[in-house]
Amino acid sequence: MAAFNEQLAQQIDAYIESLFVPADPALTANFENARSAGLPPINVTPNQGKFLYLLARIGGVRRILEIGTLGGYSTTWLARALPPEGRLISLEFDPVHARTARGNLALAALENVVEVRVGDAAASMTAMIEVGEPPFDLIFIDADKVGYVKYLGLALQLSRPGTVILADNIIRNGGVLEEHSDDASNRAVREYNAAIAANPQLESIALPMFKDKIDGIAISLVK
Ligand code: SAH
Ligand code: DHB
Ligand code: MG
């Protein structure tokens, strides 16, 4: 058995992708359009996308809230898990990201399933709470890391018992192990992990995942 290293991690990720994530023109175009529009390549990986899709399918979810759209890559995976009457709202601060995502979602024939709302995610969520938005079945947190704990508090107000709250980038290549990291995002995600662990309303686990570095997704179930 080979010792753990980055190359082995990449080979395993590619092996899993080759088995379970067939090439998909809409997802390939999504990534390429995002790159040519100058968006950073910080979307979830294909295997993580499949994982998000399966979680949504297993949960039979109909209403999804995503925090952090980028070019709509994870959005596409999640929206494809919805039944015909399902809806996804995705929150994005950057108008260029939102415009790119809308174009990509139209290419994937998801423009009637997904609404991309431009603005600060916390402000959009606060507005939803004020107008009595019905609870979501699944909420995926993937925007600025320093906002994660705030997004969790707002997400809980947009949840019901049984809602699944997911968060990306909860390992940060081990950055979350540092008790007093210089990196504000590391500190914020470490606080997020502690918050979901301590919240008596939640049952949670953090799942490490890897490609070129070790990161992961946290899963919380609202009791
Ligand atoms: N979920 C995407 C990746 C999101 S990257 C995918 O996997 O495909 C993080 C996104 O959050 C970026 O597009 C960034 O512009 C957005 N973002 C950052 N701060 C935000 C805020 N305060 N409100 C809403 N979106 C924000
Ligand atoms: C980064 C990665 C992400 O998945 C994200 O949501 C934000 C930033 C990064 O690698 O910098
Ligand atoms: Mg992310």
Side-chain angles (χ1 to χ4, degrees), residues 42-44 66-75 91-94 97 119-122 140 142-145 151 168:
I42 55 173
N43 50 278
V44 296
E66 178 177 64
I67 302 160
T69 317
L70 194 68
Y73 185 87
S74 56
T75 321
L91 308 179
E92 174 55 54
F93 185 73
D94 188 318
H97 295 189
D120 171 60
F140 177 47
D142 192 21
D144 55 305
K145 309 310 156 196
Y151 299 140
D168 191 28

PDB file of all heavy atoms in Angstrom, residues 42-44 66-75 91-94 97 119-122 140 142-145 151 168, ligand 1:
ATOM      1  N   ILE A  42     -12.983  27.714  -7.786  1.00  0.00           N
ATOM      2  CA  ILE A  42     -13.165  27.257  -6.401  1.00  0.00           C
ATOM      3  C   ILE A  42     -14.504  26.559  -6.218  1.00  0.00           C
ATOM      4  O   ILE A  42     -15.018  26.450  -5.102  1.00  0.00           O
ATOM      5  CB  ILE A  42     -13.006  28.418  -5.395  1.00  0.00           C
ATOM      6  CG1 ILE A  42     -13.953  29.575  -5.722  1.00  0.00           C
ATOM      7  CG2 ILE A  42     -11.560  28.915  -5.359  1.00  0.00           C
ATOM      8  CD1 ILE A  42     -13.969  30.672  -4.663  1.00  0.00           C
ATOM      9  N   ASN A  43     -15.080  26.086  -7.332  1.00  0.00           N
ATOM     10  CA  ASN A  43     -16.304  25.276  -7.263  1.00  0.00           C
ATOM     11  C   ASN A  43     -16.001  23.941  -6.579  1.00  0.00           C
ATOM     12  O   ASN A  43     -14.848  23.505  -6.519  1.00  0.00           O
ATOM     13  CB  ASN A  43     -16.843  25.023  -8.685  1.00  0.00           C
ATOM     14  CG  ASN A  43     -15.762  24.504  -9.617  1.00  0.00           C
ATOM     15  OD1 ASN A  43     -14.986  25.322 -10.147  1.00  0.00           O
ATOM     16  ND2 ASN A  43     -15.653  23.196  -9.764  1.00  0.00           N
ATOM     17  N   VAL A  44     -17.036  23.276  -6.109  1.00  0.00           N
ATOM     18  CA  VAL A  44     -16.859  21.920  -5.580  1.00  0.00           C
ATOM     19  C   VAL A  44     -16.323  21.021  -6.699  1.00  0.00           C
ATOM     20  O   VAL A  44     -16.481  21.318  -7.881  1.00  0.00           O
ATOM     21  CB  VAL A  44     -18.173  21.328  -5.010  1.00  0.00           C
ATOM     22  CG1 VAL A  44     -18.670  22.133  -3.813  1.00  0.00           C
ATOM     23  CG2 VAL A  44     -19.257  21.199  -6.068  1.00  0.00           C
ATOM     24  N   GLU A  66     -28.982  27.799  -1.446  1.00  0.00           N
ATOM     25  CA  GLU A  66     -27.516  27.759  -1.575  1.00  0.00           C
ATOM     26  C   GLU A  66     -26.965  29.139  -1.260  1.00  0.00           C
ATOM     27  O   GLU A  66     -27.476  30.144  -1.749  1.00  0.00           O
ATOM     28  CB  GLU A  66     -27.130  27.354  -3.004  1.00  0.00           C
ATOM     29  CG  GLU A  66     -25.622  27.342  -3.226  1.00  0.00           C
ATOM     30  CD  GLU A  66     -25.257  26.873  -4.630  1.00  0.00           C
ATOM     31  OE1 GLU A  66     -25.622  27.574  -5.609  1.00  0.00           O
ATOM     32  OE2 GLU A  66     -24.621  25.819  -4.751  1.00  0.00           O
ATOM     33  N   ILE A  67     -25.888  29.175  -0.486  1.00  0.00           N
ATOM     34  CA  ILE A  67     -25.257  30.437  -0.103  1.00  0.00           C
ATOM     35  C   ILE A  67     -23.878  30.461  -0.750  1.00  0.00           C
ATOM     36  O   ILE A  67     -22.962  29.765  -0.306  1.00  0.00           O
ATOM     37  CB  ILE A  67     -25.198  30.536   1.441  1.00  0.00           C
ATOM     38  CG1 ILE A  67     -26.626  30.433   2.000  1.00  0.00           C
ATOM     39  CG2 ILE A  67     -24.543  31.835   1.880  1.00  0.00           C
ATOM     40  CD1 ILE A  67     -26.688  30.042   3.453  1.00  0.00           C
ATOM     41  N   GLY A  68     -23.741  31.219  -1.841  1.00  0.00           N
ATOM     42  CA  GLY A  68     -22.498  31.267  -2.628  1.00  0.00           C
ATOM     43  C   GLY A  68     -22.660  30.503  -3.925  1.00  0.00           C
ATOM     44  O   GLY A  68     -22.496  29.283  -3.984  1.00  0.00           O
ATOM     45  N   THR A  69     -22.975  31.230  -5.006  1.00  0.00           N
ATOM     46  CA  THR A  69     -23.314  30.602  -6.297  1.00  0.00           C
ATOM     47  C   THR A  69     -22.083  30.364  -7.166  1.00  0.00           C
ATOM     48  O   THR A  69     -22.005  29.352  -7.877  1.00  0.00           O
ATOM     49  CB  THR A  69     -24.286  31.516  -7.090  1.00  0.00           C
ATOM     50  OG1 THR A  69     -25.276  32.038  -6.226  1.00  0.00           O
ATOM     51  CG2 THR A  69     -24.926  30.778  -8.255  1.00  0.00           C
ATOM     52  N   LEU A  70     -21.172  31.332  -7.190  1.00  0.00           N
ATOM     53  CA  LEU A  70     -20.053  31.381  -8.151  1.00  0.00           C
ATOM     54  C   LEU A  70     -20.643  31.234  -9.560  1.00  0.00           C
ATOM     55  O   LEU A  70     -21.535  31.984  -9.929  1.00  0.00           O
ATOM     56  CB  LEU A  70     -19.004  30.317  -7.796  1.00  0.00           C
ATOM     57  CG  LEU A  70     -17.643  30.448  -8.479  1.00  0.00           C
ATOM     58  CD1 LEU A  70     -16.892  31.686  -7.983  1.00  0.00           C
ATOM     59  CD2 LEU A  70     -16.769  29.214  -8.243  1.00  0.00           C
ATOM     60  N   GLY A  71     -20.188  30.268 -10.359  1.00  0.00           N
ATOM     61  CA  GLY A  71     -20.737  30.108 -11.711  1.00  0.00           C
ATOM     62  C   GLY A  71     -21.869  29.094 -11.800  1.00  0.00           C
ATOM     63  O   GLY A  71     -22.266  28.696 -12.904  1.00  0.00           O
ATOM     64  N   GLY A  72     -22.366  28.660 -10.648  1.00  0.00           N
ATOM     65  CA  GLY A  72     -23.508  27.747 -10.658  1.00  0.00           C
ATOM     66  C   GLY A  72     -23.144  26.280 -10.850  1.00  0.00           C
ATOM     67  O   GLY A  72     -23.976  25.486 -11.300  1.00  0.00           O
ATOM     68  N   TYR A  73     -21.917  25.901 -10.490  1.00  0.00           N
ATOM     69  CA  TYR A  73     -21.508  24.496 -10.659  1.00  0.00           C
ATOM     70  C   TYR A  73     -22.201  23.599  -9.617  1.00  0.00           C
ATOM     71  O   TYR A  73     -22.942  22.672  -9.981  1.00  0.00           O
ATOM     72  CB  TYR A  73     -19.979  24.378 -10.583  1.00  0.00           C
ATOM     73  CG  TYR A  73     -19.489  22.973 -10.866  1.00  0.00           C
ATOM     74  CD1 TYR A  73     -19.240  22.558 -12.170  1.00  0.00           C
ATOM     75  CD2 TYR A  73     -19.315  22.045  -9.840  1.00  0.00           C
ATOM     76  CE1 TYR A  73     -18.813  21.256 -12.441  1.00  0.00           C
ATOM     77  CE2 TYR A  73     -18.899  20.751 -10.100  1.00  0.00           C
ATOM     78  CZ  TYR A  73     -18.645  20.363 -11.394  1.00  0.00           C
ATOM     79  OH  TYR A  73     -18.236  19.068 -11.652  1.00  0.00           O
ATOM     80  N   SER A  74     -22.004  23.907  -8.330  1.00  0.00           N
ATOM     81  CA  SER A  74     -22.719  23.123  -7.305  1.00  0.00           C
ATOM     82  C   SER A  74     -24.222  23.307  -7.447  1.00  0.00           C
ATOM     83  O   SER A  74     -24.999  22.373  -7.194  1.00  0.00           O
ATOM     84  CB  SER A  74     -22.256  23.535  -5.906  1.00  0.00           C
ATOM     85  OG  SER A  74     -22.420  24.935  -5.704  1.00  0.00           O
ATOM     86  N   THR A  75     -24.633  24.505  -7.875  1.00  0.00           N
ATOM     87  CA  THR A  75     -26.059  24.779  -8.105  1.00  0.00           C
ATOM     88  C   THR A  75     -26.656  23.770  -9.086  1.00  0.00           C
ATOM     89  O   THR A  75     -27.763  23.258  -8.882  1.00  0.00           O
ATOM     90  CB  THR A  75     -26.227  26.204  -8.696  1.00  0.00           C
ATOM     91  OG1 THR A  75     -25.316  27.098  -8.073  1.00  0.00           O
ATOM     92  CG2 THR A  75     -27.652  26.700  -8.556  1.00  0.00           C
ATOM     93  N   LEU A  91     -27.792  32.356  -3.461  1.00  0.00           N
ATOM     94  CA  LEU A  91     -27.455  33.727  -3.057  1.00  0.00           C
ATOM     95  C   LEU A  91     -26.018  34.044  -3.446  1.00  0.00           C
ATOM     96  O   LEU A  91     -25.099  33.272  -3.127  1.00  0.00           O
ATOM     97  CB  LEU A  91     -27.636  33.878  -1.546  1.00  0.00           C
ATOM     98  CG  LEU A  91     -28.991  33.417  -0.994  1.00  0.00           C
ATOM     99  CD1 LEU A  91     -29.026  33.594   0.528  1.00  0.00           C
ATOM    100  CD2 LEU A  91     -30.142  34.160  -1.659  1.00  0.00           C
ATOM    101  N   GLU A  92     -25.830  35.170  -4.121  1.00  0.00           N
ATOM    102  CA  GLU A  92     -24.504  35.538  -4.621  1.00  0.00           C
ATOM    103  C   GLU A  92     -24.309  37.032  -4.525  1.00  0.00           C
ATOM    104  O   GLU A  92     -25.151  37.808  -4.953  1.00  0.00           O
ATOM    105  CB  GLU A  92     -24.343  35.065  -6.077  1.00  0.00           C
ATOM    106  CG  GLU A  92     -23.071  35.509  -6.752  1.00  0.00           C
ATOM    107  CD  GLU A  92     -21.799  35.129  -6.001  1.00  0.00           C
ATOM    108  OE1 GLU A  92     -21.615  33.940  -5.680  1.00  0.00           O
ATOM    109  OE2 GLU A  92     -20.984  36.041  -5.716  1.00  0.00           O
ATOM    110  N   PHE A  93     -23.160  37.425  -3.995  1.00  0.00           N
ATOM    111  CA  PHE A  93     -22.846  38.837  -3.802  1.00  0.00           C
ATOM    112  C   PHE A  93     -22.415  39.503  -5.109  1.00  0.00           C
ATOM    113  O   PHE A  93     -22.776  40.645  -5.381  1.00  0.00           O
ATOM    114  CB  PHE A  93     -21.723  38.945  -2.761  1.00  0.00           C
ATOM    115  CG  PHE A  93     -21.393  40.346  -2.390  1.00  0.00           C
ATOM    116  CD1 PHE A  93     -22.261  41.080  -1.594  1.00  0.00           C
ATOM    117  CD2 PHE A  93     -20.226  40.948  -2.827  1.00  0.00           C
ATOM    118  CE1 PHE A  93     -21.964  42.394  -1.246  1.00  0.00           C
ATOM    119  CE2 PHE A  93     -19.932  42.256  -2.481  1.00  0.00           C
ATOM    120  CZ  PHE A  93     -20.804  42.977  -1.695  1.00  0.00           C
ATOM    121  N   ASP A  94     -21.649  38.794  -5.918  1.00  0.00           N
ATOM    122  CA  ASP A  94     -20.982  39.403  -7.076  1.00  0.00           C
ATOM    123  C   ASP A  94     -21.875  39.318  -8.321  1.00  0.00           C
ATOM    124  O   ASP A  94     -22.209  38.218  -8.780  1.00  0.00           O
ATOM    125  CB  ASP A  94     -19.658  38.653  -7.307  1.00  0.00           C
ATOM    126  CG  ASP A  94     -18.787  39.304  -8.363  1.00  0.00           C
ATOM    127  OD1 ASP A  94     -19.335  39.735  -9.404  1.00  0.00           O
ATOM    128  OD2 ASP A  94     -17.566  39.375  -8.154  1.00  0.00           O
ATOM    129  N   HIS A  97     -20.542  37.081 -11.135  1.00  0.00           N
ATOM    130  CA  HIS A  97     -20.726  35.657 -10.836  1.00  0.00           C
ATOM    131  C   HIS A  97     -22.179  35.255 -11.101  1.00  0.00           C
ATOM    132  O   HIS A  97     -22.457  34.223 -11.716  1.00  0.00           O
ATOM    133  CB  HIS A  97     -20.369  35.356  -9.372  1.00  0.00           C
ATOM    134  CG  HIS A  97     -18.922  35.586  -9.041  1.00  0.00           C
ATOM    135  ND1 HIS A  97     -18.370  35.208  -7.838  1.00  0.00           N
ATOM    136  CD2 HIS A  97     -17.917  36.143  -9.747  1.00  0.00           C
ATOM    137  CE1 HIS A  97     -17.082  35.524  -7.820  1.00  0.00           C
ATOM    138  NE2 HIS A  97     -16.783  36.106  -8.961  1.00  0.00           N
ATOM    139  N   GLY A 119     -26.799  39.885  -3.961  1.00  0.00           N
ATOM    140  CA  GLY A 119     -26.717  40.706  -2.751  1.00  0.00           C
ATOM    141  C   GLY A 119     -25.965  39.958  -1.672  1.00  0.00           C
ATOM    142  O   GLY A 119     -25.587  38.797  -1.865  1.00  0.00           O
ATOM    143  N   ASP A 120     -25.733  40.635  -0.563  1.00  0.00           N
ATOM    144  CA  ASP A 120     -25.091  39.975   0.567  1.00  0.00           C
ATOM    145  C   ASP A 120     -26.011  38.868   1.087  1.00  0.00           C
ATOM    146  O   ASP A 120     -27.202  39.097   1.319  1.00  0.00           O
ATOM    147  CB  ASP A 120     -24.820  40.999   1.667  1.00  0.00           C
ATOM    148  CG  ASP A 120     -24.353  40.330   2.939  1.00  0.00           C
ATOM    149  OD1 ASP A 120     -23.309  39.660   2.895  1.00  0.00           O
ATOM    150  OD2 ASP A 120     -25.050  40.434   3.969  1.00  0.00           O
ATOM    151  N   ALA A 121     -25.458  37.679   1.250  1.00  0.00           N
ATOM    152  CA  ALA A 121     -26.288  36.519   1.603  1.00  0.00           C
ATOM    153  C   ALA A 121     -27.013  36.716   2.930  1.00  0.00           C
ATOM    154  O   ALA A 121     -28.181  36.336   3.067  1.00  0.00           O
ATOM    155  CB  ALA A 121     -25.420  35.258   1.643  1.00  0.00           C
ATOM    156  N   ALA A 122     -26.339  37.324   3.910  1.00  0.00           N
ATOM    157  CA  ALA A 122     -26.993  37.525   5.213  1.00  0.00           C
ATOM    158  C   ALA A 122     -28.188  38.459   5.068  1.00  0.00           C
ATOM    159  O   ALA A 122     -29.241  38.235   5.683  1.00  0.00           O
ATOM    160  CB  ALA A 122     -25.990  38.065   6.223  1.00  0.00           C
ATOM    161  N   PHE A 140     -27.141  24.758   1.646  1.00  0.00           N
ATOM    162  CA  PHE A 140     -25.716  24.524   1.379  1.00  0.00           C
ATOM    163  C   PHE A 140     -24.969  25.832   1.570  1.00  0.00           C
ATOM    164  O   PHE A 140     -25.156  26.782   0.807  1.00  0.00           O
ATOM    165  CB  PHE A 140     -25.536  23.993  -0.046  1.00  0.00           C
ATOM    166  CG  PHE A 140     -24.096  23.770  -0.457  1.00  0.00           C
ATOM    167  CD1 PHE A 140     -23.203  23.114   0.376  1.00  0.00           C
ATOM    168  CD2 PHE A 140     -23.640  24.197  -1.703  1.00  0.00           C
ATOM    169  CE1 PHE A 140     -21.881  22.892  -0.006  1.00  0.00           C
ATOM    170  CE2 PHE A 140     -22.326  23.984  -2.105  1.00  0.00           C
ATOM    171  CZ  PHE A 140     -21.442  23.333  -1.254  1.00  0.00           C
ATOM    172  N   ASP A 142     -21.664  27.938   1.340  1.00  0.00           N
ATOM    173  CA  ASP A 142     -20.380  27.877   0.598  1.00  0.00           C
ATOM    174  C   ASP A 142     -19.922  29.261   0.166  1.00  0.00           C
ATOM    175  O   ASP A 142     -19.260  29.404  -0.856  1.00  0.00           O
ATOM    176  CB  ASP A 142     -20.549  26.939  -0.621  1.00  0.00           C
ATOM    177  CG  ASP A 142     -19.225  26.583  -1.269  1.00  0.00           C
ATOM    178  OD1 ASP A 142     -18.171  26.703  -0.604  1.00  0.00           O
ATOM    179  OD2 ASP A 142     -19.241  26.176  -2.447  1.00  0.00           O
ATOM    180  N   ALA A 143     -20.289  30.317   0.914  1.00  0.00           N
ATOM    181  CA  ALA A 143     -19.835  31.675   0.555  1.00  0.00           C
ATOM    182  C   ALA A 143     -18.602  32.024   1.395  1.00  0.00           C
ATOM    183  O   ALA A 143     -17.824  31.143   1.751  1.00  0.00           O
ATOM    184  CB  ALA A 143     -20.976  32.663   0.745  1.00  0.00           C
ATOM    185  N   ASP A 144     -18.409  33.303   1.687  1.00  0.00           N
ATOM    186  CA  ASP A 144     -17.260  33.749   2.487  1.00  0.00           C
ATOM    187  C   ASP A 144     -17.237  33.017   3.829  1.00  0.00           C
ATOM    188  O   ASP A 144     -18.248  32.907   4.518  1.00  0.00           O
ATOM    189  CB  ASP A 144     -17.344  35.264   2.712  1.00  0.00           C
ATOM    190  CG  ASP A 144     -18.666  35.686   3.343  1.00  0.00           C
ATOM    191  OD1 ASP A 144     -19.725  35.351   2.780  1.00  0.00           O
ATOM    192  OD2 ASP A 144     -18.622  36.287   4.431  1.00  0.00           O
ATOM    193  N   LYS A 145     -16.040  32.523   4.170  1.00  0.00           N
ATOM    194  CA  LYS A 145     -15.917  31.662   5.359  1.00  0.00           C
ATOM    195  C   LYS A 145     -16.161  32.445   6.643  1.00  0.00           C
ATOM    196  O   LYS A 145     -16.700  31.890   7.609  1.00  0.00           O
ATOM    197  CB  LYS A 145     -14.539  30.977   5.392  1.00  0.00           C
ATOM    198  CG  LYS A 145     -14.165  30.269   4.082  1.00  0.00           C
ATOM    199  CD  LYS A 145     -15.242  29.356   3.548  1.00  0.00           C
ATOM    200  CE  LYS A 145     -15.141  29.132   2.053  1.00  0.00           C
ATOM    201  NZ  LYS A 145     -16.348  28.566   1.449  1.00  0.00           N
ATOM    202  N   TYR A 151     -24.307  32.705   8.915  1.00  0.00           N
ATOM    203  CA  TYR A 151     -25.187  31.991   7.984  1.00  0.00           C
ATOM    204  C   TYR A 151     -25.871  30.807   8.669  1.00  0.00           C
ATOM    205  O   TYR A 151     -27.032  30.495   8.384  1.00  0.00           O
ATOM    206  CB  TYR A 151     -24.417  31.501   6.741  1.00  0.00           C
ATOM    207  CG  TYR A 151     -23.790  32.615   5.940  1.00  0.00           C
ATOM    208  CD1 TYR A 151     -22.521  32.476   5.383  1.00  0.00           C
ATOM    209  CD2 TYR A 151     -24.451  33.831   5.741  1.00  0.00           C
ATOM    210  CE1 TYR A 151     -21.938  33.503   4.654  1.00  0.00           C
ATOM    211  CE2 TYR A 151     -23.872  34.860   5.019  1.00  0.00           C
ATOM    212  CZ  TYR A 151     -22.607  34.691   4.479  1.00  0.00           C
ATOM    213  OH  TYR A 151     -22.033  35.714   3.775  1.00  0.00           O
ATOM    214  N   ASP A 168     -19.399  23.679   3.010  1.00  0.00           N
ATOM    215  CA  ASP A 168     -18.185  23.296   2.278  1.00  0.00           C
ATOM    216  C   ASP A 168     -16.950  23.894   2.965  1.00  0.00           C
ATOM    217  O   ASP A 168     -17.060  24.855   3.730  1.00  0.00           O
ATOM    218  CB  ASP A 168     -18.288  23.816   0.837  1.00  0.00           C
ATOM    219  CG  ASP A 168     -17.204  23.238  -0.071  1.00  0.00           C
ATOM    220  OD1 ASP A 168     -16.733  22.107   0.191  1.00  0.00           O
ATOM    221  OD2 ASP A 168     -16.831  23.904  -1.050  1.00  0.00           O
TER     222      ASP A 168
HETATM  223  N1  SAH B   1     -20.936  26.964  -4.492  1.00  0.00           N
HETATM  224  C1  SAH B   1     -20.026  27.276  -5.589  1.00  0.00           C
HETATM  225  C2  SAH B   1     -18.760  27.964  -5.104  1.00  0.00           C
HETATM  226  C3  SAH B   1     -19.011  29.223  -4.334  1.00  0.00           C
HETATM  227  S1  SAH B   1     -17.519  30.161  -4.153  1.00  0.00           S
HETATM  228  C4  SAH B   1     -19.659  25.975  -6.303  1.00  0.00           C
HETATM  229  O1  SAH B   1     -19.206  25.049  -5.602  1.00  0.00           O
HETATM  230  O2  SAH B   1     -19.779  25.888  -7.516  1.00  0.00           O
HETATM  231  C5  SAH B   1     -18.060  31.385  -3.035  1.00  0.00           C
HETATM  232  C6  SAH B   1     -19.015  32.431  -3.624  1.00  0.00           C
HETATM  233  O3  SAH B   1     -19.563  33.187  -2.555  1.00  0.00           O
HETATM  234  C7  SAH B   1     -18.331  33.435  -4.575  1.00  0.00           C
HETATM  235  O4  SAH B   1     -18.995  33.492  -5.798  1.00  0.00           O
HETATM  236  C8  SAH B   1     -18.454  34.762  -3.828  1.00  0.00           C
HETATM  237  O5  SAH B   1     -18.638  35.886  -4.671  1.00  0.00           O
HETATM  238  C9  SAH B   1     -19.696  34.519  -2.974  1.00  0.00           C
HETATM  239  N2  SAH B   1     -19.767  35.383  -1.791  1.00  0.00           N
HETATM  240  C10 SAH B   1     -18.759  35.848  -1.024  1.00  0.00           C
HETATM  241  N3  SAH B   1     -19.230  36.608  -0.033  1.00  0.00           N
HETATM  242  C11 SAH B   1     -20.578  36.636  -0.163  1.00  0.00           C
HETATM  243  C12 SAH B   1     -21.636  37.254   0.559  1.00  0.00           C
HETATM  244  N4  SAH B   1     -21.397  38.008   1.635  1.00  0.00           N
HETATM  245  N5  SAH B   1     -22.893  37.050   0.135  1.00  0.00           N
HETATM  246  C13 SAH B   1     -23.158  36.279  -0.944  1.00  0.00           C
HETATM  247  N6  SAH B   1     -22.192  35.670  -1.667  1.00  0.00           N
HETATM  248  C14 SAH B   1     -20.926  35.848  -1.283  1.00  0.00           C
END
